[in-house]
Amino acid sequence: MPKIGLRINGVQVITEVRGRDRLIDLLRGMGFMSVKEGCSAGDCGSCNVLVNGELVNSCLMLAVQARGCEILTLEGIGTEEKPHRLQLAFVDFAASQCGYCIPGIIVTAKYLLDRNPNPTEEEIRRILTANICRCGGYTRIVEAVKKAAGAI
Amino acid sequence: MSDVNITYVFVADWPAYLRIVVAGRVQRDYFFFSKLITDRLTANGVRELPDFSIFTPESLDEVLDLLARGGMTLLAGGTDLIPMMKRGKASPVYVVDLSGVSSLRYIRREKGYFLIGGRATVKDLVECGLFDERYGAIKLLGRYFGVEPTRVMATVGGNLASGGERDLPQILEVLGARVKLVRKEGSRVAGPLGLQLAGDEIISEIVFPELGVRTYTWFSKFEKRAANGIGVVTAAVYLKLGEDGSVDDVRLTLNRVRGRTPGRLYKTEKALRDGRLDDDTLSHVMEVLDDEISPASDFRASASFRKHISKVLVVRSLMECARRIMA
Ligand SMILES: Cc1cc2nc3c(=O)[nH]c(=O)nc-3n(C[C@H](O)[C@H](O)[C@H](O)COP(=O)(O)OP(=O)(O)OC[C@H]3O[C@@H](n4cnc5c(N)ncnc54)[C@H](O)[C@@H]3O)c2cc1C
Ligand code: FES
Ligand code: FES
C-alpha cells in the first residue's frame, strides 16, 4: 500500500492510501467535508479543489497522484471566524440556496481571481461552466463573484 | 532547546497529530495515519472505485518494463478512465500512474517541427505560448474542450488513446501529425485517427510540422451546453490559399463521417482543391460533402440534423480560415 506525503491546507500529512482511493475519498475521510461528491465524473465541479494551484476535480484524481502536492480545499480558503472575501460576498448576495455546489464554486472562483483579479462577467461565466448548481442560482453567484473581485 | 515544544495529541484513536512549536511560534503541523482512513469511507457515504493495484513509475523505462509484464492499464489525467471505472465499464487489475513521469510532459519547437510529450495536458497546449494565431485549432481547445479542470487534467496521450469522438485526433490529423508509440521491444509511428494500441504500448510523442505561409487552422464544435464534452458535431480544418485566393491545400475532419467514426473528408477536400471559395464552388462542395458522410443518429441529434450542422461548421471554418489568411 503506497505511503504518500502531501500538504492539505498548509498542513503536512503522511498517510497510506490504497490505489483505488481518489483524492476526494482521502479528503472526506480526513474530515474535509466541504469537498462534495455530485456526479463522480467531472461534470458538476462540486468536488473541485486546488492542487498546486491548479483547478482539479478531486473525483477524477487518485490520492496517490496528489503525492508531494499542495492541496487547498474550502476549509483552507476561509473559516467562520475569518471568511474569505468571496465567502462574504456570497453571504451578501444570498448566493447560496441548498449550498451543495457552493464550496466547489468558491474554489473555482478563487482559482479565477488568483489568476485574473479583474475578470469580466463573460470570463466569470465561462469559468463557472465548470460547476453545476442544481438550485439554479447562477445570477446571484455571478454577482457575488463580481463583488468579490471589486467590480460592484 | 528549552524553547522547543512538541505537542503530540491523539484525536480519537487516529490521526496522530504532531505540532512543533519553537519559541512560542508554530513551525509545523503533522498528521500521521496509523490506520487506513478509508476504513471510514463507507460511513461517509462515498462510493468507492473497484479495487486495483497501483504502480507509480518515474521514468519511461520503468513504464515500459511494467507494460512488458502484461495486464497493465495506464492512467494519465483520469478524465476518461475514472468515470469508466465508476460506471463499471473498466475494471483494471494493475494501474500504472503516469503522473510521476515528468519526462513525458513537454511541448517543444525543433527544426521546423512541434514535439509534444504524451503526458502534456490540454491546458499545456493552449497556454504554452508556442502557437501563433495560425494554430487556431489548438487555441480553440481553450474554449471547446471540456471545462477548466478537464483541460488541467486531460492529457494529449489519453485523448488519442481513448479513441472515438475526441477532439485531439481530429485536430492533430488536420495538422498532419504523427503519433509515436513505444514498447519495450521497439517503436512505431501511426496517424492520430483511429489509433489501435497494443496492451504494452504507450503514446510517447506527437510530432507535426510548423505551418507555412498563407495557412490557417480552425476547430469548431456544436454542443448542447457550453461545458459539454462530447459535441453534436465537431469540425477541424487546415487551409492553405495561393496568392490568387484559390485553395492550394486543405484537410478536413468531422467527428462522424460514417456511423460514429471520425475521419477525413477526402472527397470534399478534392472538390475544394484548386477552386475558389465562392458561392458556386461552395454549394457544389456541400453536395459532395452531403454524399460523403452518413453520421449515425443518437439521443444528442438525428442523422439529418448532424449532416446539416456538419455542412454549416465546415463552411464556417473554411471561411474563418480564408478571412484570416487574406487579412
Ligand atoms: C467533463 C469532461 C469533459 C470532457 N470534454 C471533452 C472534450 O470536449 N473533448 C474531448 O475530446 N474529450 C473530452 N473529455 C474526455 C477526456 O477529457 C479525454 O479523452 C482525455 O483527454 C483523456 O486523457 P486523460 O489523460 O484524462 O486519460 P485517462 O483517463 O487517464 O486515460 C484514458 C485512456 O487512455 C489510456 N492512456 C492514457 N495515457 C496514455 C498514453 N500516454 N499512452 C497510451 N495510452 C494512454 C489509458 O490507459 C486509458 O485507457 C471530457 C471528459 C470530461 C470528464
Ligand atoms: S463530483 Fe467531481 S465533478 Fe462532479
Ligand atoms: S445552491 Fe443548491 S446546488 Fe447550488
Side-chain angles (χ1 to χ4, degrees):
Chain A
M1 197 146 0
K3 184 172 223 153
I4 61 165
L6 70 172
R7 286 175 75 79
I8 304 177
N9 299 330
V11 176
Q12 180 69 31
V13 170
I14 296 154
T15 181
E16 283 191 323
V17 290
R18 300 171 306 180
R20 80 208 290 194
D21 294 332
R22 301 165 303 167
L23 183 57
I24 189 176
D25 300 332
L26 176 75
L27 293 171
R28 286 186 64 86
M30 288 185 61
F32 296 103
M33 293 306 198
S34 76
V35 187
K36 307 288 189 218
E37 181 154 31
C39 63
S40 328
D43 289 317
C44 76
S46 303
C47 66
N48 283 5
V49 299
L50 300 187
V51 176
N52 291 341
E54 292 286 354
L55 189 63
V56 156
N57 300 132
S58 62
C59 69
L60 295 185
M61 184 180 232
L62 295 184
V64 285
Q65 294 185 295
R67 63 193 183 277
C69 292
E70 178 94 43
I71 316 294
L72 189 72
T73 71
L74 183 78
E75 286 88 346
I77 292 180
T79 58
E80 232 168 291
E81 299 75 46
K82 233 180 132 214
H84 187 270
R85 66 181 199 281
L86 273 164
Q87 291 170 305
L88 291 171
F90 272 67
V91 173
D92 275 0
F93 281 85
S96 170
Q97 295 183 54
C98 78
Y100 198 83
C101 68
I102 300 296
I105 287 185
I106 292 194
V107 170
T108 303
K110 168 138 194 341
Y111 171 86
L112 172 68
L113 297 188
D114 284 351
R115 269 139 223 270
N116 180 0
N118 299 303
T120 61
E121 174 159 343
E122 161 79 13
E123 284 166 334
I124 295 172
R125 287 186 180 272
R126 217 155 242 299
I127 195 123
L128 284 177
T129 55
N131 296 75
I132 295 176
C133 172
R134 290 217 89 170
C135 298
Y138 296 109
T139 307
R140 289 180 180 197
I141 289 168
V142 171
E143 292 297 303
V145 177
K146 276 206 275 196
K147 159 118 197 234
I152 302 178
Chain B
M1 291 294 280
S2 58
D3 56 354
V4 177
N5 172 4
I6 297 182
T7 322
Y8 189 65
V9 198
F10 281 100
V11 183
D13 56 335
W14 64 272
Y17 167 65
L18 177 67
R19 165 166 282 188
I20 299 173
V21 182
V22 179
R25 291 189 52 190
V26 178
Q27 298 293 315
R28 232 172 175 167
D29 279 320
Y30 289 94
F31 282 106
F32 296 93
F33 294 91
S34 50
K35 197 160 171 274
L36 257 190
I37 57 153
T38 41
D39 290 357
R40 293 230 314 224
L41 288 181
T42 331
N44 286 332
V46 175
R47 289 160 287 155
E48 296 195 313
L49 290 181
D51 202 12
F52 54 82
S53 304
I54 186 100
F55 295 94
T56 54
E58 303 204 326
S59 70
L60 180 58
D61 282 341
E62 282 175 69
V63 175
L64 298 181
D65 284 340
L66 283 165
L67 288 174
R69 291 197 210 168
M72 301 281 162
T73 302
L74 294 172
L75 172 70
T79 61
D80 263 320
L81 190 60
I82 307 257
M84 278 175 58
M85 286 167 67
K86 265 276 177 191
R87 282 188 228 118
K89 286 193 184 160
S91 38
V93 182
Y94 299 107
V95 172
V96 180
D97 166 36
L98 297 177
S99 68
V101 190
S102 47
S103 63
L104 283 180
R105 186 171 177 184
Y106 58 86
I107 302 176
R108 286 199 298 269
R109 185 160 58 191
E110 253 173 49
K111 301 188 185 114
Y113 287 88
F114 286 99
L115 313 179
I116 298 166
R119 233 207 72 70
T121 65
V122 173
K123 191 169 177 223
D124 291 342
L125 272 182
V126 174
E127 294 191 356
C128 68
L130 288 175
F131 299 111
D132 61 43
E133 67 280 2
R134 288 171 300 169
Y135 300 86
I138 289 179
K139 305 227 156 199
L140 284 158
L141 286 167
R143 185 174 200 109
Y144 290 129
F145 192 103
V147 290
E148 184 70 4
T150 331
R151 296 187 287 270
V152 165
M153 303 175 87
T155 65
V156 178
N159 198 258
L160 288 168
S162 295
E165 293 175 71
R166 294 282 181 268
D167 295 348
L168 283 165
Q170 258 186 270
I171 292 172
L172 291 170
E173 172 72 21
V174 299
L175 284 166
R178 307 296 285 161
V179 181
K180 187 173 171 199
L181 302 133
V182 283
R183 50 154 44 116
K184 198 166 160 64
E185 306 303 338
S187 66
R188 68 182 172 110
V189 169
L193 281 175
L195 269 184
Q196 296 288 337
L197 281 101
D200 60 349
E201 279 181 321
I202 178 171
I203 296 170
S204 65
E205 191 173 70
I206 295 92
V207 181
F208 59 86
E210 279 185 49
L211 292 174
V213 290
R214 298 182 68 77
T215 62
Y216 222 93
T217 59
W218 202 254
F219 177 67
S220 53
K221 183 180 278 193
F222 182 91
E223 53 196 341
K224 299 233 151 159
R225 239 190 97 205
N228 212 332
I230 310 293
V232 170
V233 178
T234 50
V237 169
Y238 157 82
L239 183 68
K240 181 173 197 297
L241 291 184
E243 289 296 336
D244 61 352
S246 62
V247 175
D248 258 8
D249 198 6
V250 60
R251 289 192 284 269
L252 305 169
T253 52
L254 279 174
N255 62 326
R256 290 193 180 187
V257 174
R258 246 166 306 284
R260 292 162 186 268
T261 316
R264 277 281 286 277
L265 302 172
Y266 291 108
K267 288 185 186 148
T268 311
E269 290 173 12
K270 191 158 172 255
L272 277 161
R273 221 163 265 137
D274 299 327
R276 291 177 164 278
L277 294 173
D278 54 32
D279 290 349
D280 284 350
T281 318
L282 283 177
S283 66
H284 166 66
V285 166
M286 284 310 105
E287 282 168 27
V288 176
L289 175 55
D290 196 274
D291 278 346
E292 188 169 17
I293 63 173
S294 49
S297 293
D298 65 13
F299 68 94
R300 286 194 179 87
S302 66
S304 59
F305 185 68
R306 284 176 187 278
K307 235 181 184 186
H308 174 71
I309 297 295
S310 296
K311 288 190 260 184
V312 171
L313 290 193
V314 167
V315 173
R316 271 192 205 160
S317 304
L318 284 167
M319 296 319 283
E320 285 291 348
C321 290
R323 192 166 59 78
R324 284 153 207 264
I325 294 171
M326 303 303 242

